């Protein structure tokens, strides 16, 4: 039976503009998400960055815990948790706790990260990212099983340790891995329940990597798993108007990712400028054009889309109305409303 197609949204654009007090930024995001939870979005997700000035990135565990009672049946997701810079035992405990706080509505997305400044905070080098992530996942899965664990890893050690309680979901919350390369996609197929492709790779790259994931799962004799992609959503009367309205935010996004040296040699080519047409890597244009693009993504085998919603209005009520418009004019005709 084919996997149900669902759409959620990322919180990243909700932290802008940053001229508001941080308390106001967080309170307003909670208010908007609470309203959106009744519109048919399948999940809300939050990413993770450290030392992010001048951008704003509230941390995922406290934010999702605060949003849990406001979000009804909508799922909560880390997208993504930078697992190499997090203590694996603390992450396992926090995830188990958060899974109970939200009564089993948690999904956990992880990735290796890419910023030197973040790796430096925990004394890691770039070459440590993959082994630390793999070691962390192995330890976390053992801890979530509820048994006493002794573990002698290269980065974490546990001697006869056992968590006080297991996660709400069995055997643990669904795991997915962020990927923008063939290697990361194969890693996701091997270690997690699904893959979630990054926002800056093209639709052509998404199609190629989706095939890599499906083939790897099939070769390993595993169930198909979920295949998702993070996509910028840019809505307007037409593609030109949508592009014009989102240009300032896009320029800031490109500048941030270039400054953070997001592009790596092993990755698919990232879209970090205006050289490629927006429709080649985003969901862009009129609502009808957006629905058409979503259909093309589904034809590639995607069953999850996470929107980073550009051109958000500034005021809370206007943001709520904008999300309602997207739900009614894009999610509904795309057959993606969660019930």
């Amino acid at each position: 039976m084919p996997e149900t197609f669902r759409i959620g949204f990322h919180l990243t654009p909700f932290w802008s503009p940053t001229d508001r007090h941080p308390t106001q930024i967080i309170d307003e995001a909670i208010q908007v998400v609470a309203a959106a939870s009744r519109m048919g979005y399948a999940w809300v997700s939050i990413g993770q960055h450290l030392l992010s000035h001048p951008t704003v990135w509230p941390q995922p565990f406290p934010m999702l815990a605060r949003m849990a009672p406001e979000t009804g049946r909508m799922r909560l997701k880390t997208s993504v948790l930078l697992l190499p810079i997090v203590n694996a035992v603390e992450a396992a405990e926090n995830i188990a706790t958060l899974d109970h706080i939200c009564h089993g509505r948690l999904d956990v997305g992880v990735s290796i990260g890419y910023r030197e400044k973040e790796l430096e905070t925990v004394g890691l080098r770039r070459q440590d990212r993959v082994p630390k992530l793999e070691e962390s996942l192995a330890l976390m899965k053992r801890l979530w099983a509820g048994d006493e664990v002794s573990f002698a890893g290269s980065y974490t050690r546990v001697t006869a340790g056992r968590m006080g309680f297991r996660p709400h979901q069995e055997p643990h919350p669904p795991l997915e891995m962020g990927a923008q390369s063939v290697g990361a996609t194969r890693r996701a197929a091997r270690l997690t329940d699904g893959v979630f492709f990054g926002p800056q790779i093209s639709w052509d790259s998404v199609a190629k990597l989706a095939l890599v994931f499906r083939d790897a799962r099939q070769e390993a004799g595993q169930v198909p798993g979920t295949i998702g992609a993070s996509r910028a959503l840019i809505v307007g009367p037409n593609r030109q108007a949508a592009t014009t309205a989102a240009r300032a935010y896009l320029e800031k996004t490109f500048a941030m990712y270039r400054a953070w040296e997001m592009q790596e040699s092993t990755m698919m080519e990232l879209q970090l400028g205006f050289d490629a047409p927006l429709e080649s890597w985003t969901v862009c244009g009129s609502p009808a054009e957006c629905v058409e693009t979503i259909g093309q993504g589904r034809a590639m085998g995607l069953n999850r889309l996470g929107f980073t919603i550009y051109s958000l209005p500034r005021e809370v009520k206007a943001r709520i109305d904008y999300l309602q418009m997207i739900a009614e004019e894009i999610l509904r005709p795309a057959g993606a409303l969660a019930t």
Side-chain angles (χ1 to χ4, degrees):
M1 183 175 179
E3 183 76 29
T4 302
F5 185 78
R6 289 290 179 256
I7 291 175
F9 64 93
H10 299 301
L11 281 170
T12 307
F14 292 80
W15 312 137
S16 297
T18 58
D19 59 359
R20 298 167 293 162
H21 191 278
T23 303
Q24 181 184 356
I25 291 174
I26 290 170
D27 285 350
E28 290 182 354
I30 292 166
Q31 188 176 349
V32 175
V33 170
S37 70
R38 300 184 291 274
M39 296 177 187
Y41 294 93
W43 72 84
V44 61
S45 61
I46 181 171
Q48 182 184 34
H49 281 297
L50 306 180
L51 306 174
S52 62
H53 185 272
T55 60
V56 171
W57 292 78
Q59 292 302 294
F61 291 138
M63 278 302 308
L64 292 179
R66 174 62 185 86
M67 288 181 172
E70 313 286 348
T71 44
R73 292 183 294 177
M74 186 166 70
R75 295 188 69 82
L76 308 175
K77 181 191 292 191
T78 62
S79 189
V80 286
L81 185 68
L82 303 179
L83 200 51
I85 66 171
V86 178
N87 178 279
V89 175
E90 186 175 9
E93 295 273 11
N94 276 325
I95 288 166
T97 301
L98 182 54
D99 198 33
H100 284 283
I101 288 173
C102 69
H103 294 198
R105 291 183 288 123
L106 180 64
D107 297 319
V108 178
V110 300
S111 74
I112 62 171
Y114 55 89
R115 292 180 67 214
E116 295 282 359
K117 189 180 292 291
E118 291 166 339
L119 294 168
E120 181 186 46
T121 65
V122 290
L124 295 182
R125 301 159 298 171
R126 296 183 85 84
Q127 57 264 41
D128 292 309
R129 293 175 299 169
V130 171
K132 173 72 187 302
L133 177 138
E134 295 199 4
E135 179 182 294
S136 295
L137 282 174
L139 174 56
M140 290 160 66
K141 289 175 182 178
R142 288 184 60 186
L143 289 168
W144 287 331
D147 300 324
E148 184 177 277
V149 172
S150 290
F151 187 92
S154 300
Y155 304 95
T156 310
R157 300 179 68 87
V158 175
T159 303
R162 183 176 181 180
M163 287 176 51
F165 53 80
R166 301 175 63 192
H168 185 283
Q169 299 173 87
E170 296 284 352
H172 49 69
L175 299 173
E176 66 183 25
M177 189 175 294
Q180 300 188 124
S181 68
V182 171
T185 301
R186 289 180 175 150
R187 192 179 309 123
R190 178 167 52 89
L191 298 176
T192 60
D193 308 302
V195 66
F196 212 78
F197 301 122
Q200 305 304 126
I201 65 172
S202 69
W203 281 110
D204 286 346
S205 293
V206 167
K208 292 173 184 175
L209 293 179
L211 182 59
V212 169
F213 182 82
R214 286 195 299 272
D215 287 348
R217 298 285 288 191
Q218 186 173 22
E219 289 168 8
Q222 297 172 300
V223 297
T226 59
I227 305 177
S230 176
R231 299 285 88 175
L233 175 68
I234 307 170
V235 188
N238 53 58
R239 282 196 172 131
Q240 183 57 50
T243 301
T244 300
R247 188 174 185 90
Y249 191 91
L250 282 166
E251 287 174 342
K252 291 179 182 178
T253 301
F254 294 151
M256 178 183 72
Y257 285 140
R258 287 195 298 264
W260 288 356
E261 298 180 330
M262 189 184 202
Q263 179 75 65
E264 298 187 59
S265 61
T266 57
M267 290 179 180
M268 311 299 275
E269 182 180 359
L270 303 184
Q271 309 306 308
L272 300 177
F274 291 98
D275 296 336
L278 289 184
E279 59 267 27
S280 71
W281 62 279
T282 70
V283 177
C284 175
S286 68
E289 288 171 319
C290 292
V291 172
E292 181 181 357
T293 301
I294 291 168
Q296 294 167 359
R298 295 184 72 168
M300 297 173 186
L302 298 184
N303 42 50
R304 300 286 187 273
L305 272 184
F307 284 155
T308 299
I309 303 171
Y310 283 51
S311 301
L312 271 178
R314 183 182 178 101
E315 301 303 322
V316 169
K317 184 181 184 306
R319 288 186 169 189
I320 292 171
D321 291 343
Y322 196 63
L323 283 165
Q324 185 69 62
M325 179 276 292
I326 292 168
E328 291 300 323
E329 298 186 26
I330 297 177
L331 269 64
R332 185 180 295 280
L337 278 181
T339 56

